[in-house]
């Protein structure tokens, strides 16, 4: 209840207006009658790496899969310009509240998006599968889940994050030019 009062849709609408500016009309890709919707969640803040990789994957999806983007990237307009449906969620450092509250809000927001789009799959591209994402997967057992993760890790991050792989149905590790 406290999270809803502080981070509900009315409050978030005001925050989004400050971050993203006034709404604009962007032509959407014609909706294909799909049998499945896949949520592509990327955890960029200001960068484009995770988001652009997901755009490349989404463009190659079969015709019966409709990609929907959910991103913390301030560059979310890149995805809207391609015609995909896009939901923007501010990253923890931009949302201006404590991480534990943000994680709870993230989980609640993702659950609503899963319901809204009747999603059957969640494709996460990022270094950290946040607790809010893991809670969404737990609450929506029908969701297939994919983690596209980095190949190279800093030693201090490896164990904690790699332990989260077991929560996903599939983990994809792109080849890294620096791997050798």
């Amino acid at each position: 209840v406290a999270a809803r009062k502080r981070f509900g849709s009315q409050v978030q609408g005001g925050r989004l207006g400050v971050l993203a500016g006034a709404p604009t009309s962007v032509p959407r890709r014609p909706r294909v009658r799909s049998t499945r919707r896949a949520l592509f969640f990327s955890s960029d803040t200001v960068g484009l790496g995770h988001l652009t990789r997901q755009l490349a994957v989404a463009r190659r999806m079969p015709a019966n899969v409709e990609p929907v983007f959910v991103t913390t990237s301030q560059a979310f307009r890149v995805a809207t310009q391609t015609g995909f449906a896009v939901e923007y969620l501010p990253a923890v450092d931009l949302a201006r509240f404590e991480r534990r509250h943000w994680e709870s809000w993230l989980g609640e927001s993702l659950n609503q998006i899963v319901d809204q789009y009747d999603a059957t799959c969640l494709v996460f591209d990022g270094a950290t599968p946040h607790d809010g994402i893991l809670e969404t997967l737990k609450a929506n057992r029908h969701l297939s889940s994919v983690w596209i993760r980095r190949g190279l890790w800093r030693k201090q991050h490896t164990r904690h994050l790699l332990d989260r792989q077991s929560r996903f149905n599939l983990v994809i590790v792109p080849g890294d030019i620096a791997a050798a």
Side-chain angles (χ1 to χ4, degrees):
V1 173
R4 204 172 277 127
K5 283 174 96 175
R6 198 164 166 203
F7 312 114
S9 60
Q10 291 176 339
V11 174
Q12 183 170 336
R15 285 188 177 134
L16 287 176
V18 170
L19 291 171
T24 59
S25 176
V26 175
R28 291 205 177 227
R29 195 170 73 154
R31 280 198 181 240
V32 176
R33 189 174 201 95
S34 67
T35 56
R36 298 177 290 171
R37 284 197 185 106
L39 298 182
F40 284 78
F41 182 88
S42 65
S43 64
D44 303 282
T45 300
V46 293
L48 288 168
H50 301 295
L51 180 59
T52 55
R53 180 168 42 211
Q54 285 194 326
L55 283 167
V57 172
R59 288 182 175 137
R60 290 162 178 82
M61 296 301 293
N64 67 336
V65 176
E66 181 182 350
V68 175
F69 284 81
V70 182
T71 185
T72 59
S73 175
Q74 293 180 63
F76 65 90
R77 286 184 185 95
V78 170
T80 62
Q81 291 168 355
T82 64
F84 292 113
V86 179
E87 300 285 340
Y88 171 72
L89 302 173
V92 65
D93 49 339
L94 296 176
R96 299 186 184 136
F97 47 90
E98 293 177 34
R99 177 170 289 280
R100 64 186 173 94
H101 294 300
W102 181 82
E103 291 284 1
S104 174
W105 170 81
L106 176 65
E108 184 176 322
S109 297
L110 284 175
N111 283 328
Q112 291 173 3
I113 293 168
V114 166
D115 289 344
Q116 175 184 346
Y117 288 98
D118 194 25
T120 58
C121 181
L122 178 90
V123 181
F124 170 68
D125 192 319
T128 305
H130 301 286
D131 293 340
I133 296 169
L134 300 180
E135 288 303 315
T136 297
L137 295 177
K138 186 177 178 181
N140 296 279
R141 301 250 184 225
H142 70 282
L143 278 178
S144 297
S145 58
V146 178
W147 179 13
I148 303 174
R149 69 164 184 83
R150 69 177 61 199
L152 299 176
W153 291 83
R154 295 181 196 117
K155 288 182 181 181
Q156 67 269 27
H157 291 114
T158 305
R159 183 56 25 216
H160 167 70
L161 296 175
L162 291 178
D163 286 346
R164 294 177 175 226
Q165 291 183 118
S166 64
R167 305 287 293 275
F168 292 85
N169 299 113
L170 176 65
V171 176
I172 298 172
V173 182
D176 231 317
I177 195 164

